[in-house]
Amino acid sequence: MPLIKSWLPSANVPECPFPLNNLPYGCFSKHEADGPRYNGVAIGDCVLDVSAMEADGHVELSLLPVFANGDWCDFMKLGPDAWGELREWLIRGLGETSLERAIFEPYLISLRDITLHMPFTVNEYTDFYAGRHHATNVGTMFRGAENALPPNWLHMPIGYNGRASSVVVSGTDIVRPNGQTKAQDEVLPKWGPSERLDIELEMGAVVGSGSKLGQPVSVAEANEMIFGYVLLNDWSARDIQAWEYQPLGPFQAKAFATTISPWIVTKAALEPFRTSTPKREMELLPYLREPGPMLYDIELSASLKPEGAARSTRLCRTNYGEMYYSAAQQLAHHAGSGCAMRPGDLLGSGTISGATKDSRGSLLEMTWGGQEPLTLETGEMRRFLEDGDTVTLDGYAQGDGYRIGFGECTGTILPAVNFAREGVER
């Protein structure tokens, strides 16, 4: 599909992440006032204030206002027909030959003049472990190459239930977590700040329409339930994780923070970039088989900038197409037991790593458990994250003369809270 031209010149620049082909959804407030939050659609170098357009009678999608709360969940609940109706209206009104320019233009605000917030209320958060290269690398480190993948890994997408309360929008500072850790040569564990703080380069699927308790869904039905996608950094405390994860899996090592990008890129915008999951070594059970391509060709990267540094160092480049299981498969498996899925549920893909060292999506893999430190462009060394480090995830799908961008997914590491200093110690 070629670029869909807009009457807004900035939306037609090939490197612009927000052309008319994209139209991602976010929530914002205006810099000049501590006022309410609004629903917005990114287009070129602007955001279209759809909350104000609805209030002025230009948007009618249901009997009740759905953009009044600065949150996209009310709109998601309307379902796929309404999702398509809004997108068609936006493309018609912002398109190059639009007869409604005079209606739309007054509601455009420069992206420089807004602050972005969480685009939706996260209802539940589930993180998967569905990238084969990542799972193989981590398994090799901890169990040896012969036992790298658990016996069930090639048969189902493995996941765990995370903390919705800890999901934050890009730009939110991340406080280094405290927790229990235990070295192999120590008799007892100790409590204190994580010393092996890591990133996980992921994509997040946003569930837009739900399922009933006790009612499984097919992969095709699951695909229709997905509203859109965000970049996702599932920050991880590897030393806390190593001590606590057996026998039940990740807990505090993952519960302290997960960062998402501020714009929800819709499934419709990504449709031209569909690609297939890899050939199966083991045939999947019928409920997990895909009716067609369910992944997307999305270029991804992570970079790190130390405190005070003039520039960032790119850590890796990879692609969402590396995943072994698609988000639709993950959602179908999640609901397969009868688990009810609801609008606003967030599914993390799992760390997205490629086959080469420069495509590994976590520091754990990049430094091979800290044994092979990285040298940054500043000359500094990193095994894991240090206080003051800023990590940024970027991603885009490359079209014919245009890009579908997500906006940055960034966070800066702050020192751990000192219990004694804060008066918490008992």
Side-chain angles (χ1 to χ4, degrees):
M1 176 185 292
L3 170 71
I4 306 172
K5 290 190 176 181
S6 170
W7 49 258
L8 183 66
S10 61
N12 301 327
V13 177
E15 294 77 21
C16 174
F18 307 130
L20 196 54
N21 301 62
N22 192 350
L23 299 175
Y25 302 145
C27 294
F28 70 96
S29 59
K30 299 175 183 178
H31 283 337
E32 67 268 19
D34 293 328
R37 298 183 182 183
Y38 304 93
N39 289 49
V41 180
I43 176 70
D45 58 2
C46 295
V47 61
L48 181 72
D49 187 346
V50 293
S51 293
M53 293 192 78
E54 180 185 59
D56 291 344
H58 298 302
V59 185
E60 295 181 4
L61 292 168
S62 69
L63 296 177
L64 298 174
V66 292
F67 300 134
N69 299 320
D71 188 302
W72 282 88
C73 280
D74 286 343
F75 172 70
M76 284 191 266
K77 294 174 184 176
L78 298 181
D81 289 344
W83 306 347
E85 182 182 348
L86 178 66
R87 182 173 175 81
E88 290 175 7
W89 176 74
L90 290 167
I91 291 175
R92 186 171 63 248
L94 294 167
E96 186 177 38
T97 60
S98 174
L99 301 177
E100 301 173 285
R101 177 172 178 172
I103 295 175
F104 279 73
E105 198 163 17
Y107 297 96
L108 288 175
I109 304 168
S110 172
L111 290 171
R112 296 188 299 271
D113 297 332
I114 65 170
T115 298
L116 291 168
H117 303 283
M118 282 290 294
F120 68 104
T121 299
V122 179
N123 189 27
E124 303 281 0
Y125 169 52
T126 304
D127 190 45
F128 285 86
Y129 184 57
R132 183 164 186 175
H133 294 297
H134 172 70
T136 300
N137 289 336
V138 174
T140 299
M141 274 185 262
F142 292 103
R143 293 184 297 275
E146 300 79 10
N147 300 301
L149 294 178
N152 59 355
W153 200 94
L154 294 172
H155 298 277
M156 65 178 182
I158 298 171
Y160 74 94
N161 288 313
R163 290 286 301 174
S165 64
S166 301
V167 180
V168 296
V169 74
S170 175
T172 304
D173 291 335
I174 306 301
V175 177
R176 183 179 295 273
N178 288 294
Q180 278 198 29
T181 60
K182 181 183 177 298
Q184 290 185 350
D185 58 352
E186 293 176 338
V187 177
L188 297 174
K190 63 180 181 180
W191 173 269
S194 169
E195 297 177 0
R196 293 164 67 90
L197 189 57
D198 199 358
I199 67 169
E200 287 190 344
L201 171 53
E202 304 190 24
M203 295 290 297
V206 181
V207 177
S209 55
S211 62
K212 295 181 180 179
L213 183 66
Q215 181 63 52
V217 299
S218 68
V219 174
E221 290 169 330
N223 182 62
E224 292 302 310
M225 292 166 60
I226 295 173
F227 180 64
Y229 292 81
V230 295
L231 304 179
L232 186 149
N233 186 351
D234 197 39
W235 308 88
S236 300
R238 301 300 185 186
D239 44 357
I240 297 173
Q241 184 178 1
W243 171 235
E244 74 173 2
Y245 86 103
Q246 294 182 3
L248 296 179
F251 185 49
Q252 296 291 64
K254 300 276 191 172
F256 62 96
T258 298
T259 302
I260 65 170
S261 52
W263 300 103
I264 305 172
V265 175
T266 63
K267 191 174 53 184
L270 293 172
E271 194 64 29
F273 306 98
R274 282 193 179 274
T275 188
S276 297
T277 49
K279 184 178 179 180
R280 304 296 172 183
E281 184 175 321
M282 300 280 191
E283 186 176 13
L284 296 175
L285 295 176
Y287 81 100
L288 283 176
R289 294 174 193 165
E290 300 160 297
M294 291 287 171
L295 281 179
Y296 300 96
D297 179 8
I298 301 173
E299 293 290 332
L300 301 167
S301 65
S303 60
L304 188 154
K305 183 179 180 182
E307 186 174 18
R311 61 186 185 275
S312 299
T313 298
R314 190 173 68 196
L315 299 175
C316 68
R317 292 187 66 178
T318 185
N319 192 289
Y320 186 42
E322 293 284 358
M323 297 305 298
Y324 195 78
Y325 295 101
S326 67
Q329 288 174 306
Q330 292 169 345
L331 180 52
H333 181 65
H334 206 324
S337 66
C339 172
M341 307 303 296
R342 294 182 289 185
D345 284 355
L346 176 65
L347 306 183
S349 63
T351 305
I352 305 168
S353 295
T356 58
K357 187 174 182 178
D358 62 357
S359 64
R360 295 172 181 172
S362 67
L363 287 169
L364 179 69
E365 297 168 86
M366 296 176 206
T367 68
W368 207 250
Q371 298 177 43
E372 303 170 8
L374 300 173
T375 301
L376 306 181
E377 290 187 18
T378 59
E380 299 172 69
M381 309 286 284
R382 286 291 185 278
R383 288 179 170 83
F384 293 94
L385 297 176
E386 297 186 5
D387 292 347
D389 285 349
T390 297
V391 175
T392 300
L393 308 185
D394 282 295
Y396 63 88
Q398 184 62 54
D400 180 11
Y402 69 95
R403 285 183 172 182
I404 302 295
F406 292 78
E408 292 185 343
C409 178
T410 185
T412 299
I413 305 301
L414 301 184
V417 173
N418 183 314
F419 273 30
R421 184 182 71 243
E422 299 296 329
V424 181
E425 191 172 51
R426 297 290 184 264

